[in-house]
Amino acid sequence: MSGIDLDTALLGPLGKKAADALAAKLDLHTVGDLVRHYPRRYVDRGKLTDIAGLEMGEHATVVAQVSRATLRDMRTRRGKLLAVMIRDERGREISCTFFNGHKLQHLLTPGMRALFSGKVSMYGKQLQLTHPEFEPLEEDEDIRPFVSVYPAADKLPSWDIARCVRIVLDQLDDPTDPLPAEIRRAQGLPALGRALRRIHLPETEADYHAARARLVWDEALGVQLALALRRQRAVERPAAASPRRPGGLLDAFDAALPFPLTAGQQAVGEEIAADLAREHPMNRLVQGDVGAGKTVVALRAMLQVVDGGRQAAMLAPTEVLAAQHARSLRAMLGALGRAGELDAAEQATKITLLTGSLPTAARRQAMLDAQSGEAGIVVGTHALIQDKVGFADLGLVVVDEQHRFGVEQRDALRGRGERTPHLLVMTATPIPRTVAMTVYGDLEVSALRELPKGRSPIATTVVPAGEKPSWLQRVWRRIHEEVAEGHQVYIVCPRVGGDTGKKGAADAEDADLIDLEDPDIGADSDDGSQRRSPLAVLDVAPGLAEGPLQGLRLGVLHGKLPPDEKDTVMRAFEAGELDVLVATTVIEVGVDVPNSTGMVILDADRFGLSQLHQLRGRVGRGSAPGVCLLVTDMPSGTTARERLDAVAGTTDGFELAKLDLELRREGDVLGSMQSGRRSGLRLLSLLRHEKVISTARGYAAQIVAHDPELAGHPGLMALVNEVVGEEQAEYLDKV
């Protein structure tokens, strides 16, 4: 039989039934997809899996021993349930419930060892595997000592995936190795074909360690080559140099500032000013914790460019934030930002807001202001990167909250005109070094760690509503107390509600939720897996208005509101016409209402650490101290509660960012640099592989410096395609 390669469809070697199951359940379509579906871990056939290491919500496969099995009648339907307790080496137990249990009772007897697979959930105070499947362990001496445990799915357990992998590996020809031989020798790495076989079928621990090391290297080098190519493309067209001009707008703004710049703002400002003065395009990321003063840094950069006779564009992720930025820039500039008005300063510029929802006349005027050059600063959303929006001479692009934009979006704006605009990216999400080096590896990174003087402290408390329901009543009383003191409060919910709560409905504000799509919601109550849907703004707000917050002025804000309504609600809250704003994460970034001192985050366990930190930063922005209450139903001792306790324990965003990276899937972070159908990053760890990433970065820079198109390294170009996606790689060729 002739061999197969990585591009072969799974139908041929596996047959229709197995190929269809792998495609439907795991989105695996080719031999390459399957052999890149690496084992999650390995278990020794002679040892039981440590139950304490299981994560809530994961689809786990464990080696365990049956300790007892009980057959009973089902409560809500006809039939028998087999309740089985399985144990690990230390005697810790997890329950499994099987429907039609009378057919399985003779198999699942005390003392039997097997692989058990199912979703980890909680029933009462007992861990359980929901809808489990099992396979007895064979004791044949010829069987390999390690069991490869794969990321699995309901009705497609790990052992079925393992069988499919063995079938294709038996037929697979060794692929062409993309890694140059000199790198393999220098790093002591095995050939690709051997690594792909040994990661699935290791004979020893050394086998799979060596295989993983090789495959990690492929991913690290693929990423760093993609970033090196981006850096190469970025400098091919010169930028317009805009050196600082004495006596211009920037000097006038600095002279009128009512507060001194922090040392960090001054230092980062000098770095940016030097970048802007050169024809080499600036490509800089400024990261700063919530309230570190990034907007002032960005405005000073924009004024330096305007002083040079050019324009600056500021790109925000939402219309609410774009409008907020336009208002805050105008407020900071005062008469310096009112060109064309009666009270304008002599050298004033004009700030124009351009969003997709502007009325036709206003939009036409904003586009004319940008095209003619009358507007020195143009603020907007993704509407700014539409082809029909033109600029007279765009010298600087400022992108706020980079993680909300794809690389294509920000580069589309930079690609205007004969010269490349300088690029300044801002984020309030502190970024660990390895993330900056990998995901933002085409950018120089500056950090603002010092908070401006006068920022009020924020006290954060976890409210365990599931264990202590009375605490929730105290939350509502605390809101009344804040309002009675003349302050305002945010209440944040994970979802909008209404149609957005339906299965499959798309909602950008729901995108970062943890475990929002729970396949066991609504399942038979016998297995105890039911968990309610996340709380929604449109459900919560009416109940609060008619109940515990009756008498207070409540407003509602979410991304599904028409833009003019969003703007009206936000302006009303800023003006103090509302006491409480019930909102989604649309308020996460940029919203600045100094009188807001309280924030209540419902279902706080549904959010990531950095997102909770961002939300918390919306309060305590005035002279009064802030309070943030994290409401959760999750019991103590769970990972979810540990995460919330971490947020309550520190206000250091950089510390939380590192912890966030440790606790969540790194693929979510790495995926932000990809645009292809399938992620090629499966093993690379931003925490464990910092040395590999750094070394690969050096190799990538050398390779691209000598071969800017990778024309002499077709295997490496294929590696870039594999790791960052073909769409991204093709895009790099077009920039």
Side-chain angles (χ1 to χ4, degrees):
M1 180 177 178
S2 62
I4 59 177
D5 61 29
L6 297 177
D7 293 327
T8 301
L10 288 173
L11 177 63
L14 295 181
K16 180 172 173 50
K17 183 177 179 181
D20 287 351
L22 290 166
K25 297 287 187 179
L26 296 173
D27 194 25
L28 305 177
H29 302 272
T30 67
V31 170
D33 291 343
L34 181 57
V35 299
R36 298 284 190 187
H37 187 73
Y38 303 128
R40 174 176 287 159
R41 65 180 186 277
Y42 307 88
V43 295
D44 189 326
R45 287 178 178 273
K47 296 180 181 178
L48 304 182
T49 305
D50 184 5
I51 287 174
L54 299 179
E55 289 283 345
M56 287 285 291
E58 74 168 317
H59 195 102
T61 299
V62 300
V63 176
Q65 186 174 48
V66 176
S67 53
R68 59 188 182 278
T70 307
L71 194 66
R72 65 173 175 83
D73 291 327
M74 294 177 66
R75 291 194 296 265
T76 59
R77 63 175 78 168
R78 293 179 62 185
K80 298 282 188 180
L81 284 179
L82 184 63
V84 178
M85 298 300 295
I86 58 176
R87 59 178 291 274
D88 63 11
E89 298 280 3
R90 299 186 181 183
R92 285 175 295 220
E93 294 184 324
I94 183 170
S95 70
C96 300
T97 303
F98 296 89
F99 297 101
N100 298 318
H102 62 284
K103 298 180 181 179
L104 303 174
Q105 190 177 21
H106 69 287
L107 295 174
L108 292 163
T109 56
M112 187 201 78
R113 288 186 173 216
L115 287 169
F116 294 87
S117 180
K119 187 171 182 179
V120 181
S121 59
M122 185 81 72
Y123 183 37
K125 295 184 179 180
Q126 174 69 54
L127 276 177
Q128 71 166 9
L129 289 181
T130 303
H131 306 316
E133 297 179 76
F134 72 97
E135 175 156 291
L137 280 175
E138 303 173 55
E139 301 299 335
D140 193 316
E141 289 184 4
D142 293 333
I143 293 176
R144 294 174 187 274
F146 297 104
V147 177
S148 297
V149 179
Y150 291 88
D154 187 33
K155 306 302 181 187
L156 185 61
S158 172
W159 48 86
D160 282 350
I161 299 169
R163 276 193 284 267
C164 293
V165 169
R166 287 196 295 271
I167 290 170
V168 300
L169 287 179
D170 284 343
Q171 305 173 56
L172 180 65
D173 290 332
D174 277 351
T176 302
D177 200 320
L179 211 59
E182 58 270 23
I183 295 181
R184 291 207 308 272
R185 284 193 299 269
Q187 300 301 320
L189 301 171
L192 177 59
R194 178 178 175 83
L196 287 174
R197 295 179 194 283
R198 289 308 189 197
I199 197 166
H200 292 286
L201 303 171
E203 297 284 355
T204 65
E205 287 190 32
D207 277 348
Y208 64 71
H209 286 311
R212 286 179 70 90
R214 162 59 206 262
L215 297 170
V216 163
W217 248 95
D218 282 10
E219 294 183 12
L221 186 60
V223 168
Q224 294 305 327
L225 283 169
L227 294 169
L229 289 169
R230 288 177 55 76
R231 289 193 295 271
Q232 179 73 24
R233 302 294 190 271
V235 300
E236 286 178 354
R237 286 188 307 165
S242 296
R244 184 159 181 171
R245 180 169 66 84
L249 262 175
L250 178 54
D251 283 353
F253 173 74
D254 284 348
L257 265 179
F259 52 81
L261 297 173
T262 66
Q265 286 173 319
Q266 291 176 10
V268 173
E270 289 302 317
E271 290 175 342
I272 293 171
D275 287 345
L276 294 175
R278 293 192 289 263
E279 290 190 350
H280 186 289
M282 179 176 73
N283 223 16
R284 185 170 294 278
L285 169 70
V286 174
Q287 57 168 325
D289 211 341
V290 176
K294 295 179 297 300
T295 305
V296 171
V297 169
L299 178 54
R300 295 183 72 248
M302 290 190 280
L303 293 178
Q304 180 171 329
V305 169
V306 172
D307 277 341
R310 297 177 181 87
Q311 295 166 287
M314 189 172 195
L315 192 61
T318 67
E319 293 198 348
V320 168
L321 186 53
Q324 176 92 24
H325 273 316
R327 287 196 294 272
S328 62
L329 293 179
R330 288 182 184 124
M332 282 191 283
L333 281 175
L336 294 171
R338 294 198 285 266
E341 299 179 33
L342 291 176
D343 60 344
E346 183 179 348
Q347 70 266 54
T349 190
K350 182 175 183 177
I351 299 171
T352 290
L353 175 66
L354 177 54
T355 63
S357 65
L358 284 176
T360 302
R363 180 174 170 78
R364 186 180 296 119
Q365 183 60 53
M367 292 175 70
L368 183 61
D369 290 346
Q371 183 77 54
S372 66
E374 184 175 341
I377 298 174
V378 182
V379 183
T381 59
H382 64 278
L384 285 187
I385 62 176
Q386 293 176 354
D387 291 339
K388 57 187 176 183
V389 178
F391 294 86
D393 189 354
L394 185 59
L396 171 66
V397 175
V398 178
V399 179
D400 191 23
E401 290 308 321
Q402 158 69 11
H403 69 282
R404 300 295 187 90
F405 290 94
V407 289
E408 291 88 348
Q409 286 179 298
R410 64 173 165 86
D411 278 341
L413 193 53
R414 292 182 65 226
R416 300 296 178 81
E418 296 179 1
R419 291 180 292 191
T420 300
H422 295 287
L423 175 69
L424 177 63
V425 175
M426 302 192 300
T427 180
T429 304
I431 301 167
R433 179 177 179 270
T434 45
V435 181
M437 188 167 54
T438 306
V439 181
Y440 301 98
D442 57 333
L443 305 175
E444 298 296 324
V445 180
S446 301
L448 291 171
R449 289 181 173 268
E450 182 183 1
L451 293 182
K453 293 180 180 178
R455 282 303 303 264
S456 300
I458 304 171
T460 305
T461 303
V462 177
V463 179
E467 298 169 0
K468 300 177 180 179
S470 62
W471 283 35
L472 195 56
Q473 300 309 312
R474 178 71 185 105
V475 169
W476 310 133
R477 289 199 299 274
R478 182 61 189 267
I479 291 175
H480 280 280
E481 291 167 6
E482 291 294 321
V483 173
E485 292 288 329
H487 302 307
Q488 294 162 279
V489 177
Y490 298 102
I491 297 176
V492 181
C493 300
R495 282 197 304 120
V496 175
D499 290 339
T500 61
K502 293 180 181 177
K503 198 78 166 176
D507 186 342
E509 292 156 283
D510 297 344
D512 294 328
L513 296 185
I514 296 172
D515 195 29
L516 176 59
E517 294 295 336
D518 186 342
D520 293 318
I521 289 176
D524 190 287
S525 59
D526 279 293
D527 68 24
S529 63
Q530 187 164 352
R531 187 184 183 192
R532 64 165 173 77
S533 297
L535 294 172
V537 167
L538 297 180
D539 300 327
V540 168
L544 292 177
E546 298 169 6
L549 300 187
Q550 191 171 14
L552 301 184
R553 299 170 297 171
L554 265 67
V556 169
L557 184 67
H558 57 77
K560 297 294 180 181
L561 283 175
D564 56 339
E565 287 187 37
K566 282 189 285 191
D567 196 52
T568 299
V569 172
M570 201 63 235
R571 283 179 178 271
F573 191 68
E574 289 173 353
E577 297 165 7
L578 297 172
D579 301 315
V580 178
L581 188 61
V582 185
T584 58
T585 55
V586 71
I587 65 160
E588 179 184 351
V589 291
V591 175
D592 187 4
V593 181
N595 193 46
S596 59
T597 56
M599 174 168 288
V600 177
I601 304 178
L602 301 178
D603 280 347
D605 51 277
R606 303 278 186 165
F607 301 91
L609 295 188
S610 294
Q611 193 173 34
L612 290 170
H613 183 61
Q614 287 269 22
L615 288 165
R616 172 172 62 183
R618 297 307 105 206
V619 300
R621 302 177 76 86
S623 57
V627 60
C628 179
L629 304 176
L630 307 175
V631 181
T632 180
D633 287 336
M634 297 304 290
S636 58
T638 60
T639 303
R641 274 289 290 276
E642 290 175 4
R643 292 169 54 253
L644 297 183
D645 290 340
V647 177
T650 182
T651 56
D652 185 338
F654 287 89
E655 181 181 332
L656 284 175
K658 184 176 181 182
L659 184 59
D660 199 17
L661 186 61
E662 292 172 357
L663 291 175
R664 69 194 179 104
R665 293 193 308 270
E666 292 181 343
D668 296 341
V669 182
L670 291 166
S672 65
M673 72 166 296
Q674 297 176 302
S675 60
R677 174 184 66 81
R678 167 169 293 282
S679 166
L681 297 169
R682 297 168 177 83
L683 299 176
L684 189 64
S685 166
L686 299 176
L687 290 168
R688 297 189 301 274
H689 301 137
E690 180 173 351
K691 184 178 180 181
V692 174
I693 291 169
S694 181
T695 306
R697 183 178 173 88
Y699 277 120
Q702 292 174 20
I703 291 167
V704 171
H706 290 95
D707 185 4
E709 305 295 329
L710 294 185
H713 296 82
L716 291 180
M717 196 66 230
L719 183 63
V720 173
N721 291 349
E722 166 69 24
V723 172
V724 304
E726 290 188 21
E727 292 176 27
Q728 172 77 346
E730 288 172 7
Y731 176 75
L732 290 171
D733 288 336
K734 297 174 185 175
V735 176

